Amino acid sequence: MFDRPLRTEEVPLARDADTGAASGGYAAWLNTGWEGFHQQPATADQLEQMLQAHEIDARVLTGVYDDSLPADLVDPLLPVATYASFAKTLNIGAGLVPAHLVTLVTVRPTHRRRGILRRLMTGDLARAKAAGFPVAALTASEATIYGRFGFGRVTEQQTLHLDVRGEVGFHAAPVGSVVQVAPSALAGIAPRVFEAFHASRRGSVGRQEAYLRHATGRWGQEGPDPDPKLRAAVYRDDAGEIQGYVTYAFDGWDAKPLTLNVRDLVATGDPARRELFRFLSRIDLIERVSHPYAAANDPLGWALEDPARISYSGRQHGLWVRVLDVPAAFAAREYRGSGNFTLRVSDPQSLVAGSYAFEIRDGRATVTPVAGDAPADLCCGAPALGPLLLGACGVGELVSAGVLETSGAAPAATLAALLDLPGVPHAINGF
């Protein structure tokens, strides 16, 4: 428990019995969380919209309260810290695994350095492990916070800028067709297209309800209000099947260069993605197309006759993963060939500390805890497990970075041949 007078409580997703509006406790929790990210207080309609989305996501909300604050100055319903979690899936290469997602973590500046975040996080991760989740994940606004809780960076993202002045040439001939649609038409399309992408892309994390509301224009970029500027298009393959969609908005006549901002672009494969960019490049009165959430190794430059048309900005970390169950998580991963090795993990939170024997046969592994302190081929702390699991970088790179140590009989090159994966993991959404 927190040192008195702090207390922690689950905040119910509830409505007032008389008015049907979001309860005062929910409103206070949400507004405190929004304040932590410098957003304005929610209107009554925004509260209702957020409550609906959180109910669909089955979010678990937690607030920390300070009963010593003067009630004549501070509403007792206002927490001094917020924390939320919900369940989705994470693609780790060979398939999807259940993932415990952490979001909207805030602590008021008046209550820093009191161990609030540590107690919230450690308790929640322990419960997630007990509930059978092999991994937890979050998207961090500050990169230095979550490593101490065992999270490791597994994806990077950047904004891709495509210069569309003049004719943009592509090496490949056009295939399929693009159809412009009203954003509302994506209600039955966006979830299906995303699930196909999610099943095929290592590093992808399941989407919350907010993404569907954004895609259909019910919510704008800044919050749960309609977005009249939003436009949309879908890509159909030669058989007429929809294999991708894009939503976008004009940045305004004052922007220099005149820019079309991609809000969301989801494609089931490379042809769909390429053709959606071809469509965007042909929109009149536009000089640049900007696309956030581009991968660190985005392939679009190879598709263009003039790769100098592409530039990037805002490269930053994306998804962070915390392994909660080494055997379950790593048995669901893909490998190369066959071989054996032992991994030893140190973990101050004791969630995954210990040694594990890996027996790999034809690209799949059986992972078994090992008792005692026998020599291990690989040694690391809990934060290194996330990038190792997702293949965010090679074994050699992790060794060079000093976060992975090799010892024992298996040399680094042998372990790399088993563990290294092609490409990089990529997630196209946050939470």
Side-chain angles (χ1 to χ4, degrees):
M1 288 295 290
F2 298 113
D3 296 332
R4 290 184 178 182
L6 300 182
R7 59 185 170 84
T8 182
E9 289 185 359
E10 183 174 325
V11 179
L13 300 172
R15 290 177 170 78
D16 183 271
D18 296 324
T19 67
S23 69
Y26 174 81
W29 183 93
L30 183 69
N31 282 325
T32 298
W34 279 17
E35 181 181 341
F37 290 93
H38 306 295
Q39 294 177 260
Q40 295 181 358
T43 65
D45 183 64
Q46 289 175 331
L47 284 169
E48 174 60 25
Q49 291 286 324
M50 294 301 298
L51 181 55
Q52 290 176 12
H54 288 171
E55 288 173 332
I56 293 170
D57 292 337
R59 297 201 182 200
V60 177
L61 313 182
T62 302
V64 179
Y65 301 85
D66 186 347
D67 295 326
S68 71
L69 296 176
D72 59 330
L73 296 177
V74 180
D75 184 346
L77 291 177
L78 286 171
V80 297
T82 64
Y83 189 101
S85 63
F86 60 110
K88 290 294 180 181
T89 54
L90 174 67
N91 186 322
I92 60 172
L96 306 180
V97 299
H100 179 79
L101 306 187
V102 176
T103 186
L104 209 63
V105 179
T106 70
V107 179
R108 286 184 177 267
T110 54
H111 287 71
R112 301 275 172 81
R113 306 292 186 267
R114 296 178 66 170
I116 293 175
L117 175 58
R118 177 167 294 279
R119 287 167 179 153
L120 284 171
M121 183 67 74
T122 55
D124 182 57
L125 292 178
R127 289 188 293 273
K129 179 179 175 67
F133 286 96
V135 296
L138 53 80
T139 50
S141 56
E142 296 181 58
T144 58
I145 294 177
Y146 295 100
R148 66 180 184 268
F149 300 112
F151 287 86
R153 174 172 56 92
V154 301
T155 71
E156 290 184 338
Q157 64 200 41
Q158 56 192 339
T159 299
L160 180 153
H161 305 287
L162 175 61
D163 183 343
V164 296
R165 291 172 293 187
E167 185 73 17
V168 179
F170 288 75
H171 291 298
V175 294
S177 62
V178 173
V179 180
Q180 291 180 270
V181 299
S184 59
L186 297 179
I189 295 170
R192 174 173 55 81
V193 172
F194 176 78
E195 286 307 315
F197 166 84
H198 181 46
S200 66
R201 184 63 196 243
R202 187 170 91 248
S204 175
V205 63
R207 284 187 157 179
Q208 63 269 36
E209 169 67 12
Y211 272 90
L212 179 58
R213 299 188 178 211
H214 285 298
T216 55
R218 294 175 61 189
W219 288 11
Q221 193 172 27
E222 300 301 324
D225 294 306
D227 187 355
K229 297 191 303 180
L230 194 70
R231 301 291 182 264
V234 299
Y235 168 75
R236 301 166 71 239
D237 63 19
D238 288 333
E241 295 294 322
I242 295 175
Q243 302 290 356
Y245 73 87
V246 62
T247 60
Y248 55 94
F250 179 51
D251 203 23
W253 296 107
D254 294 332
K256 301 301 179 190
L258 295 174
T259 299
L260 197 72
N261 288 317
V262 173
R263 296 287 180 79
D264 196 20
L265 193 157
V266 186
T268 63
D270 293 331
R273 188 173 189 271
R274 185 179 65 246
E275 296 308 316
L276 287 170
F277 270 107
R278 194 194 304 266
F279 158 75
L280 294 170
S281 75
R282 293 177 174 176
I283 294 177
D284 287 338
L285 305 178
I286 297 298
E287 298 173 321
R288 182 176 71 178
V289 173
S290 293
H291 171 46
Y293 282 105
N297 65 340
D298 192 283
L300 185 63
W302 295 101
L304 301 179
E305 293 177 357
D306 181 6
R309 284 183 173 273
I310 291 182
S311 61
Y312 298 94
S313 66
R315 184 164 175 170
Q316 60 183 333
H317 56 90
L319 189 69
W320 293 66
V321 168
R322 208 297 183 194
V323 174
L324 300 174
D325 185 328
V326 171
F330 279 86
R333 183 194 189 274
E334 59 180 319
Y335 300 84
R336 294 290 179 264
S338 301
N340 302 318
F341 67 90
T342 303
L343 170 69
R344 180 181 298 137
V345 181
S346 59
D347 183 0
Q349 294 176 269
S350 300
L351 294 175
V352 293
S355 295
Y356 303 88
F358 284 64
E359 182 178 347
I360 300 169
R361 296 293 177 267
D362 299 323
R364 300 311 297 265
T366 300
V367 184
T368 308
V370 177
D373 295 322
D377 301 298
L378 284 176
C379 300
C380 68
L385 291 177
L388 190 64
L389 175 68
L390 271 293
C393 60
V395 168
E397 293 170 295
L398 291 173
V399 171
S400 296
V403 298
L404 190 65
E405 296 180 2
T406 59
S407 59
T414 300
L415 296 169
L418 293 170
L419 289 161
D420 288 358
L421 298 175
V424 294
H426 183 48
I428 60 173
N429 48 278
F431 50 90

Short mmCIF file of all heavy atoms in Angstrom, two decimals, residues 348-385:
data_model
loop_
_atom_site.label_atom_id
_atom_site.label_comp_id
_atom_site.label_asym_id
_atom_site.label_seq_id
_atom_site.Cartn_x
_atom_site.Cartn_y
_atom_site.Cartn_z
N PRO A 348 15.26 -7.35 -11.47
CA PRO A 348 15.04 -6.82 -10.11
C PRO A 348 13.62 -7.02 -9.61
O PRO A 348 13.39 -7.08 -8.40
CB PRO A 348 15.37 -5.33 -10.27
CG PRO A 348 16.27 -5.25 -11.45
CD PRO A 348 15.80 -6.33 -12.37
N GLN A 349 12.66 -7.14 -10.52
CA GLN A 349 11.28 -7.37 -10.10
C GLN A 349 10.95 -8.85 -9.93
O GLN A 349 9.83 -9.18 -9.52
CB GLN A 349 10.33 -6.74 -11.12
CG GLN A 349 10.42 -5.22 -11.17
CD GLN A 349 9.53 -4.65 -12.25
OE1 GLN A 349 9.98 -4.45 -13.38
NE2 GLN A 349 8.29 -4.38 -11.92
N SER A 350 11.91 -9.69 -10.26
CA SER A 350 11.79 -11.15 -10.05
C SER A 350 10.64 -11.78 -10.83
O SER A 350 10.18 -12.88 -10.47
CB SER A 350 11.62 -11.47 -8.55
OG SER A 350 12.73 -10.99 -7.83
N LEU A 351 10.18 -11.14 -11.91
CA LEU A 351 9.09 -11.72 -12.70
C LEU A 351 9.59 -12.82 -13.63
O LEU A 351 8.87 -13.79 -13.88
CB LEU A 351 8.39 -10.63 -13.51
CG LEU A 351 7.63 -9.57 -12.70
CD1 LEU A 351 7.10 -8.49 -13.62
CD2 LEU A 351 6.49 -10.22 -11.92
N VAL A 352 10.82 -12.66 -14.15
CA VAL A 352 11.34 -13.64 -15.11
C VAL A 352 12.78 -14.02 -14.79
O VAL A 352 13.47 -14.61 -15.62
CB VAL A 352 11.25 -13.11 -16.56
CG1 VAL A 352 9.80 -12.98 -17.00
CG2 VAL A 352 11.99 -11.79 -16.71
N ALA A 353 13.26 -13.70 -13.60
CA ALA A 353 14.64 -14.01 -13.25
C ALA A 353 14.86 -15.52 -13.26
O ALA A 353 14.01 -16.30 -12.83
CB ALA A 353 14.98 -13.44 -11.88
N GLY A 354 16.03 -15.94 -13.79
CA GLY A 354 16.36 -17.36 -13.81
C GLY A 354 17.02 -17.76 -15.10
O GLY A 354 17.36 -16.91 -15.94
N SER A 355 17.22 -19.06 -15.27
CA SER A 355 17.84 -19.60 -16.47
C SER A 355 16.84 -20.43 -17.25
O SER A 355 15.96 -21.08 -16.67
CB SER A 355 19.05 -20.46 -16.09
OG SER A 355 20.06 -19.67 -15.48
N TYR A 356 17.02 -20.43 -18.58
CA TYR A 356 16.06 -21.10 -19.47
C TYR A 356 16.82 -21.83 -20.57
O TYR A 356 17.71 -21.26 -21.21
CB TYR A 356 15.10 -20.09 -20.10
CG TYR A 356 14.34 -19.26 -19.09
CD1 TYR A 356 14.88 -18.07 -18.60
CD2 TYR A 356 13.11 -19.69 -18.61
CE1 TYR A 356 14.18 -17.32 -17.67
CE2 TYR A 356 12.41 -18.94 -17.68
CZ TYR A 356 12.95 -17.76 -17.21
OH TYR A 356 12.27 -17.01 -16.27
N ALA A 357 16.46 -23.09 -20.77
CA ALA A 357 17.06 -23.89 -21.84
C ALA A 357 16.19 -23.81 -23.08
O ALA A 357 14.98 -24.06 -23.02
CB ALA A 357 17.20 -25.34 -21.39
N PHE A 358 16.83 -23.48 -24.21
CA PHE A 358 16.14 -23.39 -25.50
C PHE A 358 16.54 -24.59 -26.36
O PHE A 358 17.72 -24.81 -26.61
CB PHE A 358 16.54 -22.11 -26.24
CG PHE A 358 15.92 -20.85 -25.72
CD1 PHE A 358 16.18 -20.39 -24.43
CD2 PHE A 358 15.06 -20.11 -26.50
CE1 PHE A 358 15.62 -19.22 -23.94
CE2 PHE A 358 14.48 -18.94 -26.04
CZ PHE A 358 14.76 -18.49 -24.75
N GLU A 359 15.55 -25.34 -26.78
CA GLU A 359 15.78 -26.43 -27.72
C GLU A 359 15.02 -26.09 -29.00
O GLU A 359 13.79 -26.09 -29.02
CB GLU A 359 15.30 -27.77 -27.16
CG GLU A 359 15.57 -28.94 -28.10
CD GLU A 359 15.14 -30.26 -27.51
OE1 GLU A 359 14.85 -30.32 -26.30
OE2 GLU A 359 15.04 -31.24 -28.28
N ILE A 360 15.75 -25.76 -30.07
CA ILE A 360 15.16 -25.27 -31.31
C ILE A 360 15.26 -26.35 -32.36
O ILE A 360 16.35 -26.88 -32.63
CB ILE A 360 15.86 -23.99 -31.78
CG1 ILE A 360 15.73 -22.90 -30.72
CG2 ILE A 360 15.27 -23.50 -33.11
CD1 ILE A 360 16.61 -21.69 -30.97
N ARG A 361 14.11 -26.67 -32.96
CA ARG A 361 14.06 -27.67 -34.02
C ARG A 361 13.24 -27.11 -35.18
O ARG A 361 12.06 -26.80 -35.02
CB ARG A 361 13.46 -28.99 -33.52
CG ARG A 361 14.29 -29.68 -32.45
CD ARG A 361 15.62 -30.18 -33.01
NE ARG A 361 16.45 -30.79 -31.98
CZ ARG A 361 17.39 -30.16 -31.28
NH1 ARG A 361 17.60 -28.86 -31.50
NH2 ARG A 361 18.10 -30.80 -30.39
N ASP A 362 13.90 -26.96 -36.31
CA ASP A 362 13.22 -26.51 -37.53
C ASP A 362 12.46 -25.21 -37.32
O ASP A 362 11.31 -25.05 -37.75
CB ASP A 362 12.29 -27.59 -38.05
CG ASP A 362 13.03 -28.87 -38.41
OD1 ASP A 362 14.16 -28.76 -38.93
OD2 ASP A 362 12.48 -29.95 -38.16
N GLY A 363 13.09 -24.26 -36.63
CA GLY A 363 12.53 -22.93 -36.51
C GLY A 363 11.55 -22.70 -35.38
O GLY A 363 11.04 -21.59 -35.22
N ARG A 364 11.28 -23.72 -34.57
CA ARG A 364 10.40 -23.56 -33.42
C ARG A 364 11.12 -24.03 -32.17
O ARG A 364 11.98 -24.92 -32.24
CB ARG A 364 9.08 -24.33 -33.59
CG ARG A 364 8.26 -23.92 -34.78
CD ARG A 364 8.07 -22.41 -34.90
NE ARG A 364 7.33 -21.86 -33.78
CZ ARG A 364 6.02 -21.65 -33.78
NH1 ARG A 364 5.31 -21.98 -34.86
NH2 ARG A 364 5.41 -21.12 -32.74
N ALA A 365 10.77 -23.44 -31.02
CA ALA A 365 11.54 -23.69 -29.80
C ALA A 365 10.67 -24.26 -28.69
O ALA A 365 9.49 -23.91 -28.55
CB ALA A 365 12.19 -22.40 -29.31
N THR A 366 11.29 -25.12 -27.91
CA THR A 366 10.76 -25.52 -26.60
C THR A 366 11.64 -24.86 -25.56
O THR A 366 12.87 -25.00 -25.59
CB THR A 366 10.80 -27.05 -26.44
OG1 THR A 366 10.01 -27.66 -27.46
CG2 THR A 366 10.27 -27.45 -25.07
N VAL A 367 11.03 -24.10 -24.65
CA VAL A 367 11.79 -23.33 -23.66
C VAL A 367 11.42 -23.84 -22.27
O VAL A 367 10.24 -23.89 -21.91
CB VAL A 367 11.49 -21.83 -23.78
CG1 VAL A 367 12.37 -21.04 -22.81
CG2 VAL A 367 11.71 -21.36 -25.21
N THR A 368 12.45 -24.22 -21.50
CA THR A 368 12.23 -24.85 -20.21
C THR A 368 13.05 -24.16 -19.13
O THR A 368 14.26 -23.92 -19.33
CB THR A 368 12.65 -26.33 -20.25
OG1 THR A 368 12.01 -26.97 -21.37
CG2 THR A 368 12.28 -27.05 -18.97
N PRO A 369 12.45 -23.79 -18.00
CA PRO A 369 13.24 -23.22 -16.90
C PRO A 369 14.29 -24.22 -16.42
O PRO A 369 14.05 -25.43 -16.38
CB PRO A 369 12.20 -22.94 -15.82
CG PRO A 369 10.90 -22.87 -16.54
CD PRO A 369 11.01 -23.82 -17.69
N VAL A 370 15.46 -23.71 -16.03
CA VAL A 370 16.57 -24.54 -15.56
C VAL A 370 16.90 -24.13 -14.13
O VAL A 370 17.12 -22.95 -13.85
CB VAL A 370 17.81 -24.37 -16.46
CG1 VAL A 370 18.97 -25.19 -15.92
CG2 VAL A 370 17.49 -24.77 -17.89
N ALA A 371 16.94 -25.10 -13.24
CA ALA A 371 17.28 -24.81 -11.85
C ALA A 371 18.79 -24.66 -11.69
O ALA A 371 19.57 -25.21 -12.47
CB ALA A 371 16.76 -25.93 -10.94
N GLY A 372 19.19 -23.90 -10.67
CA GLY A 372 20.61 -23.77 -10.36
C GLY A 372 21.30 -22.68 -11.16
O GLY A 372 20.68 -21.93 -11.90
N ASP A 373 22.63 -22.65 -11.01
CA ASP A 373 23.45 -21.60 -11.63
C ASP A 373 24.42 -22.18 -12.65
O ASP A 373 25.59 -21.82 -12.69
CB ASP A 373 24.23 -20.83 -10.55
CG ASP A 373 23.30 -20.08 -9.62
OD1 ASP A 373 22.29 -19.54 -10.11
OD2 ASP A 373 23.57 -20.03 -8.41
N ALA A 374 23.94 -23.09 -13.47
CA ALA A 374 24.80 -23.66 -14.51
C ALA A 374 25.20 -22.57 -15.49
O ALA A 374 24.47 -21.58 -15.68
CB ALA A 374 24.06 -24.78 -15.23
N PRO A 375 26.36 -22.69 -16.14
CA PRO A 375 26.79 -21.68 -17.12
C PRO A 375 25.75 -21.49 -18.22
O PRO A 375 25.10 -22.45 -18.66
CB PRO A 375 28.10 -22.26 -17.67
CG PRO A 375 28.58 -23.18 -16.61
CD PRO A 375 27.36 -23.76 -15.97
N ALA A 376 25.57 -20.24 -18.65
CA ALA A 376 24.60 -19.90 -19.69
C ALA A 376 25.33 -19.38 -20.91
O ALA A 376 26.39 -18.77 -20.81
CB ALA A 376 23.61 -18.87 -19.17
N ASP A 377 24.76 -19.59 -22.08
CA ASP A 377 25.33 -19.10 -23.33
C ASP A 377 25.04 -17.62 -23.55
O ASP A 377 25.84 -16.90 -24.15
CB ASP A 377 24.79 -19.90 -24.51
CG ASP A 377 25.11 -21.37 -24.39
OD1 ASP A 377 26.30 -21.72 -24.36
OD2 ASP A 377 24.16 -22.17 -24.30
N LEU A 378 23.88 -17.17 -23.04
CA LEU A 378 23.48 -15.77 -23.15
C LEU A 378 23.05 -15.28 -21.79
O LEU A 378 22.36 -16.01 -21.05
CB LEU A 378 22.32 -15.60 -24.13
CG LEU A 378 22.58 -15.67 -25.62
CD1 LEU A 378 21.26 -15.58 -26.38
CD2 LEU A 378 23.50 -14.54 -26.06
N CYS A 379 23.41 -14.04 -21.45
CA CYS A 379 22.99 -13.42 -20.20
C CYS A 379 22.49 -12.01 -20.50
O CYS A 379 23.10 -11.28 -21.29
CB CYS A 379 24.13 -13.35 -19.20
SG CYS A 379 24.83 -14.94 -18.73
N CYS A 380 21.38 -11.61 -19.87
CA CYS A 380 20.87 -10.27 -20.08
C CYS A 380 19.95 -9.88 -18.94
O CYS A 380 19.53 -10.72 -18.14
CB CYS A 380 20.11 -10.17 -21.41
SG CYS A 380 18.56 -11.09 -21.47
N GLY A 381 19.63 -8.59 -18.87
CA GLY A 381 18.61 -8.11 -17.97
C GLY A 381 17.25 -8.16 -18.63
O GLY A 381 17.13 -8.32 -19.86
N ALA A 382 16.20 -8.00 -17.86
CA ALA A 382 14.84 -8.08 -18.39
C ALA A 382 14.58 -7.11 -19.55
O ALA A 382 13.87 -7.48 -20.50
CB ALA A 382 13.83 -7.86 -17.27
N PRO A 383 15.12 -5.88 -19.56
CA PRO A 383 14.82 -4.97 -20.68
C PRO A 383 15.30 -5.48 -22.03
O PRO A 383 14.75 -5.09 -23.07
CB PRO A 383 15.54 -3.67 -20.29
CG PRO A 383 15.63 -3.72 -18.81
CD PRO A 383 15.85 -5.17 -18.48
N ALA A 384 16.34 -6.33 -22.06
CA ALA A 384 16.85 -6.85 -23.34
C ALA A 384 15.95 -7.93 -23.93
O ALA A 384 16.07 -8.25 -25.12
CB ALA A 384 18.25 -7.41 -23.16
N LEU A 385 15.04 -8.48 -23.12
CA LEU A 385 14.20 -9.56 -23.63
C LEU A 385 13.23 -9.09 -24.70
O LEU A 385 12.93 -9.82 -25.64
CB LEU A 385 13.42 -10.20 -22.47
CG LEU A 385 14.23 -10.99 -21.45
CD1 LEU A 385 13.31 -11.48 -20.33
CD2 LEU A 385 14.94 -12.17 -22.11
#
